[in-house]
Every structure is written in structure tokens, then in C-alpha cells.
Amino acid sequence: MPRRTNGVGVQAEDAQICVVMVGLPARGKSYIAQKAQRYLRWLSIPARTFNVGNYRRNDAPQPTADFFDMNNAEGERKRRAAAEAAVADMLQWFKSGGVVGILDATNSTKERRQWVFETVSKEGIEVIFVESKCDNEDLIMGNIRDVKTTSPDYKGQDPDAAALDFRNRIRNYEKIYKSINEDGDEGDYTYLKIMDVGKQVIINRIQDYLQSRIVYYLINLHIRPRSVWLSRHGESMLNLEGRIGGDAALSYRGEEYARKLPDLVRQSVGDDRPLTVWTSTLKRTIATARHLPKHYNQLQWKALDELDAGVCDGLTYQEIKDQYPDDFAARDDDKYNYRYRGGESYRDVVIRLEPIIMELERSEDILIISHQAVIRCIYAYFMQKDQEDSPWLPVPLHTLIKLTPRAYGTDEEKTSANIKAVSTWRGKGSTAKHEDPVPEGGI
Amino acid sequence: MAEADNGKPSCRPELGDEFNEKETDQDRTAEIAANAPRYRRKSSTFIDGIHDVSENQGDLAPAQLYSTMSGRLFHSGRIAIVMVGLPARGKTHICVSMARYLAWLGVKTRIFHLGDYRRATVGKGGQVPEDYFFPNASPSSVILRQKILKKCREDIYAWLNHENGQVAIYDAVNPTASSRRALAKEFAKHDVQTLFLESYVDDESILRENARNVKINSPDSQFVGMDPDEAAKLYLKRIDMKIPVFETMNENELNYVKMINAGQAFFYNNVSFNYLSHRIVFYLTNLHIKSRTTFFARAGPADEDSYKADGPLSEEGRVYAKRIAETLIKHREQERQALINKSGEDVPLRPLTVWTSTRLRTIQTAEPLKEMGYQVRQRSQMSQINPGVCEKMSERMIRTLYPDEVEKHELDPYHHRYPRAESYHDLAVRLEPIILELEREQNDLLIIAHESVLRVLYAYLMHCSTMDIPKLKFPRDQIIEIIPAAYQNEAKLIHVTGLDPKCVPGSPEDIRIPVPSGPPSGNLTPIPGMSSPAEMEEPPTRPPEIVVNTAKEMVADKVADED
């Protein structure tokens, strides 16, 4: 059985896991799948989703509900072929070093699950079924509306007709759907069953640490719609001088941003519902949050503090280059892994942010006021940015970012407060105090 | 101070002065003292400190990521974790393991075993009335029950309200739905969130196995000479008679986790779970209740002994690797014989797995065992602490080059990192996956690693203070064996002979900065028959004493202890 090896030729990691989604359409399966993939990659674990629907679309781009009727032999054949193609590709990917493969499909019958289980475990890969079971009609219709506007199956079609067709498609699945271990004869599988959006959960036969870790993450997820707002603190006195770190007060313009933030947030939220506000424990984020309405619940997290620059705290980039030339070069060379003397690396920040991400996943609407490096890491998590890119993302001051997780990705909306501020972005090799970000990419 | 519950001499000091200072109500303090028999200070690094009362809880949080003003983490407020389940369901083991893990994360946690309070109240050799657990108990039994409950609850509130505690684990049977609802309501009144944790077992083989483990260690004459299966059956029947009513959890309005058949499956009902609750579930999915042993051994020495070089074993190192393998195998066989002699039945040897890091010396130290057919797994997280730029520098040189760093290091040797180096705290955080896999492992386990890694893993299993961790010593002529038991872990030393004395002492590639001298936070008192992983530099400050509450006594106690 192929395994990744280290230099000495002995296995270092053993588990390869196939996560098999189970559940009717519009139960948030794709959402869960892509969240899990994004989370694992964020933690540097090779993960990939194989969406059977995408394979089927090659053969039947925009099928009607009839296609999904179990009596439709042609539809049945094509769907089966799509599943086989997806599984074959996944196994190929495991051979090339994949660690967690996610099979995103309904897998709604016992026969299909048994087929997947046998095909995959024959290759020495562990199987864990993840079922999302939900009978709340409002949630389902909400999901349908979401899917109907974002799914490629209904691109360019009348929204109402699409919603109706989708409801019919689900009916066809409902006829044959069997919840996992519903008959009591699937108790030997490893599975996670999430009922009513996490109100009740069953975890069965977890086999190893990585599985438990995935389960842990998934039980923290919910599929209720919500958004996350991100903002850096207002411009600080040290920002003006081009110095990093420190615990400085806001500049005059930073104060202006703090006063404008409540309006900016209210506009972006669209109604009067209160947000929960998380800040770091540093003065500049607390000051930035202080004019927000009293009924917004505010919490300070140490874990949201800026990346600790160690001995370089409070220096300008030019001073760092002069005093620690090797460090300056080493950091540009591998910014994600570089750890400041006596300080932190981006990787360290990701590790300490993990509890925040977990808490974020189980919460509703949250506004986070934090710092450049921390916002980069959180942004990278939601937008699935690579480790090579995330430490270089421009995150301008005095700008509110709204992220809304959806089934097929995360929507992003950014609002500038139109209050001038210095740029704290820095290009590779540069020691400029204030440099304009390169135009392409960025938040 | 009542240590009277078992009449054994005790190495714990009189109940702590700070405890008395905090309490204003002297009478109540006395009562708590009288009824909290297992409160004691950490007395030695090689006694499992999980039940100790520490002067500074913060020192017991090796992997704490951040701190807060309130002392509580994860915005989770105060939580009572209430155990539910009949005896022989592994509840105490679950409590103790969970407390170990939470403390490791920095969550201030204390366990309250109701059984301790009951024993303290009825006195040594005393028994609770036959109808003590009956729903229709006599008035005197009900009064006794309430008195015991009240004392335990008072301690819980004192811990949560006045001692900055965040989690109180309440270890009791809690057999009925109505009592559980009342409990949740009462805690809510005190602004404490309740999470119920039921250990539910319907697999006969697990039940019998648990009961048999109790029986093997029991001096109870009733079981002597009895067929083990018969004895287990009798024991289980006794439980059923003593506690006739038990309702498994099904209360929709309560937060609960049901652990089914020792972790085979979990069901949870989530009304208001927070991060900490999920974290606990995560931990539990890795826990099992089978008993197994962990051995720690150092990696052998190399000629080119530096972090960056990652050199192969030296000649003495190869001898060392062989000696470790032989000693361990001989020891395991002896232990098995002792067990056979004691129980009178043939006991198979538990399988042994070996973990090493991905560093060459650890891999090569495991080679003799690998050649004998033992499974060896490499874990990259177990690489030694990164010594940074100070590696191999003399102390004088470090003091000259980095005087500020030395100053910081002396203030906090656990958290401070030298330039480019890792701190012990960094190492502990990095080892978290290993901790969970350690809990998950069902085979006996030999961990071959660098001394720095052994320090941290040992600290997890034996609940050592962060002040002690950088000072723990693991000379190569000893293999450490950690034997788990429901109540606490025990450490034992296995002597390795025939080694080149040069290769025995501490790791040469460590940073040569002495941790601040001054009095150690725990008294390093040796236990007779066990020597210590902590080096005996200073003479013991107290004469050798015997540890109270050894695991075996606890288990023996269990037979008559339906709680």
C-alpha cells in the first residue's frame, strides 16, 4: 500500500481518510465538505473534495428533476458512472500523497455506501461517513434558495422554476433515502451523524486521531446562514511612523475611523440585529471598538493579538534590515514559517488562532477587530489562500470586510470608510515605511 | 486534618494554610477539611499530582495558549461536569483523565468524588445503610445522603466561587432523571453551566472485564478462590441490588454527552454547548478504558551530537539500544509471571508498540526492537526541543552574548525562548496531538525520545508543575514505566545495566543554562522502592514516606463502594 515516507523510508503518518458525505440534497453537505477541506488545508494537511455532481455535469450539464428519478435507467447509469469516476480519481489522488479525500455526494442508499466502503477500504484507506440529517423545512428552503442562486446546475434559469425543480429532485431522493444505521445494520461503520444542525450528534467508532480531529471540527460547524466582519484597528501612532507591533494609541485619523465604524457596520449588516464583537487585548483594537452600540456584546481575546515580532517589536523595516540583515532576508524567503527572534511566525499565529476559528464556526454573526497578520490568517482560512500568499495579502486600514460563507465558497464584500490612512503593506525585499500594495490580488 | 479514611500514613502536609486563609468561616473550613480527604499538596514530581491542591494552578498548565484576567478560558464561564453511570462503568477513570487534559490546557479543574465524602462521613470501615441508594430509602438514610451531598456541593461552590476554579467534575452515580434535573437547576442558580457525561455500557464483555479488573486486585474474602467470571457476575449483581433504579439519560432540555460502551459510540444532546464542551467531546473520542502501560526511554547517544547534524548512534549508543530492548522484554515477561501467580490464570502479554521521533538517533535506538518484530511508528511532532542559536554554547558564553535573555530565562524557564529556540511551552503545544494519540493507544507503548520530549510527556501523565518540567532528569540507565489506574497514575523505574557510564547522564545538546536554583516547588522526596526521574541533587528535606491512595487501594475500596 503506498504511503508517504520520510527520509529514512519509514512511514511517518499512516492515516489516509476518505470522508464520505451522506444526506439528502440541500442539507448543507457541500458546505460541510468544502469547510472541512479548507480547514485541513489551513492546517497544512493535504485535503481535496471530489464532488460527484461535477462529474455528472460533464455528462448531463443541466438535468431536470426526472433525471434523478430512480426509475430513470439512463439517469441512474449516468449517476453511477459519475460516482465511479469520482472515486477512481480520488484513489489516484491518495496514491500521490493525499491525506483526506472528501467524497461529496448524497450516498443515500445502503448499497451505495457499501460499494464506496468496499472500494475505498480495499486500498487501505479509512472510511468515515458524515451525515447531515435535517427535517426543518425553513432551513431546507433557505438552503435551496442559496443553492439555486449559486449551483451551476441552474445557471441562467428562472429562480422560481429552479427552486421548484430542485424540490422535486429532493423528492426523488427522499423515496430511497436511508439514514445511516437506520436499520441497525451499519453499526460497524465509522460515522458521524449530525441531526438538526448539531442539536443532536452521534459519533460511532472513531478509529484514529485524525478522524477524531475532523469530527471535532465538524461538530463545531453549523449551517445556519451568517456573516463574519473583519476590520483592522484604526490607524495607530506607530503606523504613522512605519513601526511594527507595539501597543500604541490611535492616531487622529484612527479615532475618526473608530467613530465612523458603528455606521459602517450598521450599513453592512443591513438591519439592527446586534453583533458580537471580538477584539484583541491591545489598546488600538479596544479603542477602535469603543463607539460601537452598547448592546453589542464585546469580548477580548489574547489569541487575537498581533503577531509577536519579538526583538523587532517597535522597529521599522529599515531598522530590522540594518540590525538583523539575516533575519530580514530569511523572513522574505519564507514569510509563513519565519519566526521572529523571541517572537512568532505566521504558522505560530495559525496554531494559536485555532480555538478562535472553532469558536467562530459555532457562532452566529461576529465582528472581529484585530491586526494585520491575524486578519490575514483568518481571511486565508475563509478564502482558502495558500501559505505562500497569505502573509503578503494587503489588508488596508479603515476598511470593513464582510465574509459570508456559502455552499460553493465565501462571498466577500468590502467597504472603505473613506478616511485616509497610511499603508502598512510591504512588498518582498522592500523597507519602505508606507508602500502602495501591488494592484492584483488582495483583500 | 482527617486522613482517617484509610488510616494510612500520609505524605501530604496538613491541609494547606492558604486554604485556611481564604476561608473566613472556620467551622465550615474544618468541615470541608474533614470531608475532603484527598486534598493534598503536590509532594513529589513522581507522584501523580492530579488530585493535589496546588498553590499556583497556573504552574500546572503546560499547554495553556493564553491567559485571562478572570483566570477562565475560552469564554466558557464556570462549568460543572456531572458524571452519570453505575459503578464499573469507568467513571472515575474518565474523570481523572479529563481533569488531566483540561489542566494541561490551562483550564482550572478539580474533581469531586462523592465516594470520598461518603467514606469520610461514615468513617473507616463504616458502611452506608443497605437502602442508601434506594428511591424509597428510610428517613435516616435520606438524611445521611443529603448531608453527604451537601458537603460535596459546598466544596464545589467554594472551588468555583472563591478559588477561581472554572470546571468542577462531580463524580457520582446520579441515577435518576429527576435528580439530574434538580441538579442542573441548582447549578444554574449559581450561574454555573451543567454538562452531564454518562458512561453507558450495555456490552456484557466490557462490563465483565471492568468487574474482573476490580476483582483481581481485591482482597475481599468473598471473591477469593472464585472463578473470575463468577466473581465478576456476583459483583455486578451486587451493584444491581444496591442501586435498583437507574435511568439512562434522555432529558432533551439538558446538555449531555453519552459515552456508549467505553467510547465505541457517542450521543450528544446539545442545548448550549460551547467550545470547551466540544473540546471535551474531542478528548473523549480519543479516550478508552482499557488498562495499558507507557514506558519512557531516552534515545541513545551519538558521536556528532548536535540538533542540526541529526547524527547516527555511536558505538555505545548501539549497545544502549540493545540493552534497552533486552531489559524491557525481560521486565514485561516478569510482570506477566507475577500476574499469573497472583490471579492463577494464564495472562497473555499485551502487544507493545514503539514510538520514536523522526530524528535518526531515536529511530536507531528502536532498531533492535524492530528487528524482533515490534511495530515502530515515527512521529514528527516528537522531535526534540529546538535549542536555537545557543546550542552547544557554554553557559559563560551565553551569559556574555545574551545577558538579557538569560535574565528572562531565569524568571520563567518554562515559557522563555532563546533566539531561534523553542520554549518548553512551544514543545508542549506541539505535542498536543501526541497526547491525544497517547490516550488513544491500546497497546503497551514504549516512547523513545529526546529528554526534552520525555519531560513534557511525563509531566502530562504525572501532572507536574511547569516549574519542574525543565528540571526533570531521565538518565539512560533507567526506563520509566507509567502504570495507569482509575484514580491516579504510578511511576516505576526499571534499571538498565551494562551501559557505558559516560552515556548515562543528561543530554549534552541541551541549552547549558541552569534553570534558577532556589528551592524547588515540590519537595523531591523519594519513595521507597522507587527512585526518581528527578535527579537527587539536594538531600531530601523530609524522611521517605509512603504514598497515600495508591491505585490498588482505590480499586480494593471499590468493591464495597458503589458510587
Side-chain angles (χ1 to χ4, degrees):
Chain A
M1 175 191 340
R3 287 282 201 239
R4 292 183 309 152
T5 57
N6 65 10
V8 195
V10 184
Q11 63 187 48
E13 296 278 338
D14 3 349
Q16 285 182 305
I17 298 174
C18 175
V19 177
V20 182
M21 302 304 301
V22 175
L24 291 167
R27 263 65 177 186
K29 284 190 310 301
S30 292
Y31 178 79
I32 293 171
Q34 58 103 3
K35 292 287 278 205
Q37 170 186 312
R38 196 197 305 156
Y39 169 72
L40 291 163
R41 285 191 184 172
W42 190 65
L43 292 172
S44 309
I45 296 170
R48 192 163 145 193
T49 304
F50 296 83
N51 181 302
V52 173
N54 287 342
Y55 285 82
R56 185 260 306 149
R57 259 169 227 122
N58 294 335
D59 240 6
Q62 290 197 321
T64 59
D66 297 344
F67 181 84
F68 299 91
D69 187 334
M70 298 309 135
N71 299 319
N72 181 339
E74 177 64 6
E76 173 70 17
R77 191 188 60 76
K78 281 188 174 169
R79 283 184 298 112
R80 170 87 191 199
E84 280 168 4
V87 169
D89 278 4
M90 182 168 62
L91 293 176
Q92 200 56 45
W93 176 77
F94 274 123
K95 286 204 176 88
S96 67
V99 174
V100 180
I102 303 165
L103 185 66
D104 181 14
T106 55
N107 297 305
S108 51
T109 65
K110 284 198 275 191
E111 294 72 28
R112 175 58 62 90
R113 291 195 284 267
Q114 194 185 345
W115 173 77
V116 173
F117 179 81
E118 283 169 1
T119 313
V120 172
S121 49
K122 209 165 58 197
E123 303 296 318
I125 292 153
E126 296 170 2
V127 176
I128 174 169
F129 293 98
V130 174
E131 176 170 358
S132 171
K133 190 170 183 293
C134 172
D135 301 321
N136 181 326
E137 194 64 25
D138 287 347
L139 273 169
I140 296 168
M141 280 318 284
N143 271 336
I144 290 178
R145 252 173 266 123
D146 205 29
V147 168
K148 146 204 108 189
T149 50
T150 51
S151 167
D153 275 1
Y154 295 105
K155 213 170 176 183
Q157 293 189 16
D158 172 55
D160 291 331
L164 187 68
D165 184 79
F166 201 81
R167 198 73 191 87
N168 287 333
R169 188 196 287 193
I170 295 176
R171 297 244 151 72
N172 278 324
Y173 275 107
E174 279 168 353
K175 287 181 209 154
I176 53 152
Y177 171 62
K178 213 20 130 201
S179 178
I180 195 158
N181 204 25
E182 191 180 323
D183 297 341
D185 55 358
E186 292 177 299
D188 286 341
Y189 289 149
T190 296
Y191 68 85
L192 167 68
K193 193 192 288 202
I194 303 172
M195 290 166 284
D196 287 331
V197 210
K199 274 277 167 249
Q200 294 189 322
V201 174
I202 298 174
I203 303 167
N204 197 54
R205 291 189 189 272
I206 297 298
Q207 298 165 63
D208 64 30
Y209 173 68
L210 188 51
Q211 286 184 355
S212 75
R213 182 114 188 183
I214 293 168
V215 165
Y216 171 50
Y217 174 73
L218 293 181
I219 59 180
N220 273 299
L221 286 183
H222 64 75
I223 53 175
R224 292 183 299 275
R226 58 79 179 263
S227 300
V228 175
W229 285 265
L230 305 176
S231 170
R232 288 177 67 187
H233 53 81
E235 184 185 71
S236 78
M237 298 307 283
L238 284 186
N239 288 152
L240 286 176
E241 297 171 29
R243 295 182 182 279
I244 65 171
D247 190 9
L250 296 181
S251 72
Y252 178 77
R253 294 186 301 200
E255 289 289 354
E256 201 183 331
Y257 177 68
R259 283 192 299 274
K260 194 162 180 186
L261 189 60
D263 276 344
L264 211 60
V265 170
R266 214 171 293 130
Q267 263 171 34
S268 180
V269 173
D271 53 45
D272 275 342
R273 72 179 189 274
L275 305 184
T276 299
V277 183
W278 293 352
T279 65
S280 74
T281 64
L282 297 171
K283 282 183 211 149
R284 52 195 190 275
T285 62
I286 296 168
T288 305
R290 76 182 190 281
H291 298 295
L292 289 164
K294 286 279 165 283
H295 65 285
Y296 283 22
N297 190 17
Q298 290 200 16
L299 299 170
Q300 293 169 20
W301 291 82
K302 182 81 183 160
L304 287 173
D305 283 4
E306 179 60 312
L307 184 145
D308 179 356
V311 294
C312 297
D313 191 63
L315 301 187
T316 65
Y317 287 115
Q318 188 60 52
E319 286 167 346
I320 297 173
K321 193 176 180 182
D322 294 345
Q323 295 174 29
Y324 305 97
D326 294 351
D327 288 78
F328 188 79
R331 185 157 197 263
D332 275 0
D333 193 37
D334 185 359
K335 198 173 177 188
Y336 189 80
N337 289 302
Y338 171 81
R339 173 182 285 158
Y340 276 110
R341 288 174 183 242
E344 290 180 303
S345 65
Y346 271 85
R347 185 180 291 281
D348 293 338
V349 172
V350 163
I351 290 169
R352 81 161 136 96
L353 279 176
E354 215 210 326
I356 297 278
I357 293 294
M358 285 292 175
E359 191 65 21
L360 207 49
E361 284 302 346
R362 43 158 242 97
S363 307
E364 311 277 326
D365 296 324
I366 302 274
L367 164 62
I368 297 177
I369 300 174
S370 183
H371 307 264
Q372 181 165 261
V374 173
I375 301 266
R376 276 174 177 157
C377 293
I378 297 174
Y379 182 85
Y381 167 76
F382 280 105
M383 304 305 285
Q384 201 163 327
K385 294 286 176 197
D386 289 342
Q387 290 167 6
E388 293 84 60
D389 301 335
S390 60
W392 300 98
L393 292 169
V395 188
L397 286 164
H398 301 177
T399 303
L400 183 67
I401 303 158
K402 176 186 181 185
L403 300 177
T404 308
R406 299 207 181 275
Y408 290 85
T410 303
D411 288 350
E412 177 188 2
E413 190 185 297
K414 75 175 184 192
T415 318
S416 166
N418 290 321
I419 298 168
K420 276 216 163 97
V422 297
S423 163
T424 58
W425 185 85
R426 181 185 72 92
K428 214 172 246 192
S430 161
T431 57
K433 273 188 181 168
H434 306 300
E435 180 181 356
D436 284 333
V438 285
E440 73 268 19
I443 298 184
Chain B
M1 166 74 208
E3 57 199 26
D5 66 307
N6 53 17
K8 289 277 183 329
S10 159
C11 68
R12 65 192 125 108
E14 298 305 301
L15 197 66
D17 294 331
E18 38 110 43
F19 194 83
N20 283 321
E21 276 162 22
K22 272 186 191 154
E23 290 294 333
T24 47
D25 182 344
Q26 278 297 323
D27 288 339
R28 213 166 72 75
T29 307
E31 197 170 62
I32 287 170
N35 291 293
R38 297 188 204 277
Y39 274 24
R40 62 152 196 246
R41 292 264 187 85
K42 177 78 172 172
S43 41
S44 154
T45 48
F46 47 92
I47 295 172
D48 184 357
I50 193 67
H51 290 92
D52 290 357
V53 176
S54 162
E55 292 111 277
N56 190 351
Q57 282 270 336
D59 289 346
L60 292 170
Q64 184 167 344
L65 286 177
Y66 65 101
S67 54
T68 61
M69 287 297 279
S70 71
R72 299 189 180 105
L73 300 185
F74 308 121
H75 294 294
S76 287
R78 295 170 304 168
I79 299 179
I81 299 175
V82 178
M83 301 302 296
V84 175
L86 289 166
R89 267 69 178 176
K91 285 197 308 300
T92 301
H93 171 68
I94 294 167
C95 288
V96 171
S97 307
M98 193 161 52
R100 200 183 293 289
Y101 179 67
L102 289 173
W104 168 262
L105 294 177
V107 178
K108 295 176 178 60
T109 306
R110 193 177 291 172
I111 311 169
F112 299 84
H113 301 285
L114 188 60
D116 290 350
Y117 290 81
R118 197 175 52 242
R119 276 185 297 275
T121 304
V122 299
K124 178 173 160 49
Q127 291 283 337
V128 293
E130 266 306 306
D131 65 348
Y132 183 79
F133 290 100
F134 287 16
N136 56 348
S138 63
S140 66
S141 288
V142 172
I143 288 169
L144 178 64
R145 205 158 65 191
Q146 280 168 350
K147 186 176 156 204
I148 292 167
L149 282 174
K150 186 162 167 277
K151 279 171 187 154
C152 184
R153 305 277 169 74
E154 277 168 1
D155 276 10
I156 292 178
Y157 294 131
W159 164 242
L160 294 174
N161 293 332
H162 305 303
E163 293 173 69
N164 226 1
Q166 180 167 14
V167 171
I169 302 176
Y170 177 42
D171 180 16
V173 177
N174 295 306
T176 64
S178 60
S179 68
R180 293 189 293 253
R181 287 197 175 98
L183 203 54
K185 213 181 258 172
E186 196 197 310
F187 280 128
K189 249 191 287 178
H190 286 80
D191 201 21
V192 174
Q193 215 201 348
T194 312
L195 169 66
F196 290 91
L197 175 53
E198 176 176 353
S199 177
Y200 176 83
V201 180
D202 62 2
D203 181 331
E204 280 297 321
S205 62
I206 296 176
L207 270 182
R208 231 168 313 151
E209 180 63 25
N210 281 355
R212 273 174 63 147
N213 283 342
V214 173
K215 179 254 144 197
I216 283 177
N217 294 301
S218 160
D220 192 325
S221 58
Q222 197 180 343
F223 294 122
V224 170
M226 212 174 189
D227 171 67
D229 284 330
E230 287 301 313
K233 260 190 221 151
L234 178 66
Y235 174 65
L236 292 172
K237 211 172 121 200
R238 272 215 218 157
I239 294 171
D240 285 346
M241 275 164 54
K242 271 210 158 179
I243 311 176
V245 178
F246 179 82
E247 299 157 2
T248 185
M249 288 208 72
N250 195 21
E251 294 94 302
N252 271 330
E253 75 280 19
L254 300 180
N255 281 315
Y256 69 85
V257 177
K258 196 185 289 197
M259 189 172 177
I260 299 158
N261 289 333
Q264 187 189 84
F266 290 84
F267 177 86
Y268 77 58
N269 191 61
N270 170 8
V271 184
S272 55
F273 270 23
N274 55 30
Y275 176 72
L276 198 53
S277 323
H278 283 130
R279 187 103 188 191
I280 291 167
V281 173
F282 171 46
Y283 176 75
L284 292 175
T285 56
N286 285 293
L287 194 66
H288 63 79
I289 57 174
K290 298 202 180 81
S291 178
R292 64 149 193 89
T293 296
T294 307
F295 300 97
F296 290 133
R298 283 266 303 282
D303 286 328
E304 173 51 60
D305 218 352
S306 89
Y307 178 79
K308 286 205 176 100
D310 194 18
L313 285 184
S314 63
E315 215 29 65
E316 302 85 72
R318 296 199 177 273
V319 173
Y320 168 77
K322 261 201 208 97
R323 290 297 302 137
I324 286 285
E326 289 161 7
T327 308
L328 187 70
I329 285 164
K330 197 172 130 211
H331 170 80
R332 278 165 44 87
E333 189 48 45
Q334 278 169 354
E335 294 281 288
R336 185 175 88 104
Q337 276 305 328
L339 204 59
I340 291 173
N341 295 342
K342 195 170 165 194
S343 70
E345 45 180 332
D346 194 24
V347 195
L349 205 54
R350 266 194 306 269
L352 176 76
T353 301
V354 183
W355 289 359
T356 69
S357 76
T358 45
R359 313 285 295 182
L360 198 52
R361 286 193 295 135
T362 66
I363 297 166
Q364 292 187 343
T365 306
E367 245 154 40
L369 285 161
K370 197 171 170 223
E371 279 159 19
M372 289 178 224
Y374 289 94
Q375 195 196 354
V376 179
R377 299 180 67 193
Q378 296 173 19
R379 333 295 325 236
S380 59
Q381 298 100 324
M382 292 203 320
S383 298
Q384 72 234 50
I385 200 164
N386 185 337
V389 299
C390 294
E391 184 182 15
K392 300 218 142 182
M393 281 186 195
S394 69
E395 185 185 336
R396 221 178 91 198
M397 191 157 166
I398 298 173
R399 284 189 188 278
T400 315
L401 286 175
Y402 304 101
D404 299 353
E405 299 289 341
V406 171
E407 204 173 298
K408 281 190 218 153
H409 188 84
E410 287 179 347
L411 280 176
D412 189 354
Y414 185 80
H415 292 94
H416 172 260
R417 35 172 106 96
Y418 279 101
R420 288 289 189 284
E422 275 180 307
S423 65
Y424 274 94
H425 178 255
D426 291 335
L427 180 60
V429 172
R430 151 154 82 82
L431 283 171
E432 153 118 17
I434 296 294
I435 297 286
L436 287 153
E437 293 205 48
L438 195 69
E439 292 293 354
R440 170 159 282 284
E441 183 64 55
Q442 308 216 357
N443 294 346
D444 278 359
L445 185 62
L446 167 63
I447 293 180
I448 299 177
H450 186 267
E451 191 169 32
S452 55
V453 173
L454 297 185
R455 284 179 181 134
V456 173
L457 294 177
Y458 181 87
Y460 169 74
L461 287 174
M462 299 301 283
H463 201 68
C464 299
S465 155
T466 53
M467 297 304 287
D468 293 329
I469 290 174
K471 293 183 289 189
L472 294 173
K473 296 270 185 249
F474 294 84
R476 288 205 175 88
D477 59 355
Q478 296 169 350
I479 299 172
I480 309 228
E481 177 178 18
I482 311 269
I483 304 158
Y487 198 73
Q488 65 182 20
N489 291 335
E490 284 179 70
K492 224 164 126 180
L493 290 180
I494 305 157
H495 201 65
V496 184
T497 54
L499 296 180
D500 181 343
K502 278 204 306 286
C503 80
V504 169
S507 13
E509 72 270 41
D510 254 5
I511 303 170
R512 297 294 185 89
I513 272 288
V515 286
S517 44
S521 65
N523 292 316
L524 305 174
T525 315
I527 307 177
M530 298 183 185
S531 58
S532 153
E535 205 170 57
M536 290 294 116
E537 275 150 359
E538 52 288 284
T541 50
R542 277 188 276 152
E545 289 163 307
I546 297 167
V547 192
V548 283
N549 301 328
T550 67
K552 284 199 174 111
E553 285 163 359
M554 263 311 289
V555 172
D557 217 9
K558 279 239 134 188
V559 177
D561 175 25
E562 265 80 63
D563 144 68

